[in-house]
Amino acid sequence: MFRHHSEGIFECEKVFGASFINSDGKTVYTRYVGEQHVKEDCNNYIPSAKEWVDNINKPTEWMIKTLKIED
């Protein structure tokens, strides 16, 4: 709830920078990693912080269902 939303992704980018170089020497965009992570944890949805607050007492599907990651 505290970081799994669009504002949390902006914060992640602010803390870690817009991009980084991975172990393969490729540029990876921090926003992409943050968005992918939130989507995996929130049923392919990126909520706002307000949506979390508004729905905390009546959880919606994106709050309780995560995506299955395929290998």
Side-chain angles (χ1 to χ4, degrees):
M1 165 181 180
F2 295 107
R3 299 288 187 272
H4 283 71
H5 47 68
S6 54
E7 293 86 344
I9 295 167
F10 280 107
E11 185 178 338
C12 182
E13 192 175 36
K14 185 177 178 181
V15 170
F16 296 106
S19 65
F20 58 93
I21 306 298
N22 70 9
S23 60
D24 292 330
K26 296 183 180 182
T27 299
V28 177
Y29 295 97
T30 307
R31 176 175 305 282
Y32 175 78
V33 174
E35 288 175 350
Q36 185 66 32
H37 177 80
V38 171
K39 287 168 75 173
E40 288 170 0
D41 285 357
C42 294
N43 197 34
N44 206 34
Y45 183 65
I46 300 176
S48 68
K50 182 179 183 328
E51 287 176 289
W52 273 104
V53 172
D54 289 348
N55 291 292
I56 197 66
N57 290 319
K58 51 182 184 333
T60 63
E61 189 173 7
W62 60 262
M63 295 172 88
I64 56 177
K65 184 176 178 186
T66 62
L67 291 180
K68 189 178 265 189
I69 299 172
E70 302 294 329
D71 289 326

